[in-house]
Amino acid sequence: MSFSRPGALDLSALARPAAPAPGQGGSTSGGWVVDATEADFQQVALDGSLQHLVVLSLWSPRAPESAEFNARLAAAANTYDGQILLVQVDVDANPGIGQALGAQAVPLVVGLVKGQPVPLFQSAVPDEQIRGYFEELIRLGAEHGVTGRAPAPGVAAETPEEPEDDPRFAEADAAFNAGDLDGAIAVYEKLAAQSPGDAEVAERLAGVRLMARTQGADLQQARTAAADVPGDVDAQLLVADLDVSGGHVDDAFDRLIQLVARTTESDRDRVRERLLELFVVVGADDPRVATARRRLATALF
């Protein structure tokens, strides 16, 4: 296991070996369309989205409309000649992926840009809307430097060179890989004190802190607690953390900005600091961060 910035998808539970699911009637693999399972999701979808755009189609053989919709998605995706790779996931055979994406119903279609989920639409939509969403995703990908193409059908993808490990992070990586999040945090805090302007150190520290805060937390229980006591700052902060970990970035930012507006003094400072840390987790170049920064300034002043 290697450290990866959260704020994308937390699929660490999917690292276990799993047998590929058998083909289903709704699968339309071929061209720039593939099926993914919990066993190969990291390689096919998350790693692939670092180089080219990925569109996830979550479907179920128990929902005929989602199976039929896959054919229309595939036809649209194949017209982009590899700008978009459509990755189909049978959520009945691979429930962990559906849970990680917070899927409540299918069909559910989500884009991936550098591992970051971009909600597109839920339920079947007309063909012209499919293309409209795809065009918007391509524009968003270009803003983030994702302009590559998936390999043509039958052509193996080139294996990118692995960057050399930064020796500064060896101790923290060892602690992280051993499950010692507190130990990793201590190392990153020391590095941050030594190099306060180092963006990578800040990102790693913010990411592992988020993992530590959300470890073992139940999202439904957290949401219920926050709804029952809206003034409980700790409860609101936990839900925001869980939302960022699950890819619901806008929901998390909105919750905390509203909380800033209705808190005072030390509570307001705590919420503001957590929000700033979540900005680091999501990434300064993410347009959602820029929007949230403007809203935060308005809420503060």
Side-chain angles (χ1 to χ4, degrees):
M1 186 193 309
S2 59
F3 183 89
S4 59
R5 182 200 299 179
L9 301 180
D10 182 8
L11 293 171
S12 57
L14 303 183
R16 63 185 186 279
Q24 300 287 352
S27 171
T28 52
S29 58
W32 283 280
V33 184
V34 299
D35 293 314
T37 69
E38 293 176 3
D40 59 12
F41 186 82
Q42 175 76 39
Q43 177 183 1
V44 171
L46 292 180
D47 291 350
S49 73
L50 300 176
Q51 309 297 327
H52 53 76
L53 296 173
V54 170
V55 170
L56 301 176
S57 172
L58 275 61
W59 70 284
S60 165
R62 295 181 292 109
E65 66 277 12
S66 74
E68 295 165 359
F69 187 46
N70 268 346
R72 294 199 285 121
L73 283 173
N78 279 329
T79 65
Y80 287 90
D81 295 327
Q83 280 184 288
I84 290 173
L85 177 69
L86 179 64
V87 176
Q88 300 174 147
V89 178
D90 175 353
V91 294
D92 291 346
N94 304 279
I97 297 174
Q99 291 168 7
L101 284 163
Q104 301 296 318
V106 293
L108 173 65
V109 181
V110 177
L112 284 181
V113 179
K114 290 188 175 179
Q116 296 280 352
V118 180
L120 297 181
F121 47 88
Q122 185 162 343
S123 76
V125 300
D127 291 350
E128 59 271 19
Q129 288 189 29
I130 293 174
R131 294 192 63 85
Y133 281 113
F134 284 2
E135 294 292 339
E136 287 296 324
L137 185 64
I138 289 172
R139 281 192 283 272
L140 179 63
E143 291 176 6
H144 291 270
V146 181
T147 57
R149 293 178 184 264
V155 176
E158 295 183 5
T159 303
E161 293 184 7
E162 290 289 335
E164 293 185 8
D165 292 335
D166 190 324
R168 295 180 301 160
F169 304 137
E171 184 181 356
D173 287 344
F176 181 84
N177 293 338
D180 181 8
L181 298 184
D182 289 340
I185 289 171
V187 177
Y188 287 131
E189 287 177 340
K190 181 178 179 180
L191 291 173
Q194 294 171 349
S195 306
D198 192 310
E200 185 173 2
V201 172
E203 290 171 1
R204 285 171 171 258
L205 175 56
V208 76
R209 279 177 173 168
L210 177 63
M211 290 183 179
R213 292 194 301 267
T214 57
Q215 190 174 40
D218 181 275
L219 177 58
Q220 190 55 52
Q221 291 179 3
R223 287 193 185 282
T224 300
D228 288 346
V229 188
D232 186 336
V233 173
D234 289 330
Q236 305 302 327
L237 292 176
L238 177 57
V239 175
D241 282 342
L242 290 168
D243 275 343
V244 169
S245 293
H248 304 289
V249 172
D250 286 330
D251 290 343
F253 288 172
D254 186 61
R255 177 182 296 272
L256 295 190
I257 290 169
Q258 291 186 36
L259 191 57
V260 163
R262 65 175 190 264
T263 51
T264 59
E265 299 178 351
S266 61
D267 282 343
R268 172 179 277 203
D269 288 340
R270 287 178 60 208
V271 178
R272 180 185 61 82
E273 289 171 3
R274 179 65 56 83
L275 189 53
L276 293 177
E277 186 169 72
L278 293 180
F279 288 167
V280 175
V281 169
V282 175
D285 59 347
D286 192 299
R288 295 170 295 186
V289 170
T291 300
R293 283 189 185 279
R294 292 192 292 270
R295 291 183 59 205
L296 174 60
T298 300
L300 287 170
F301 304 107

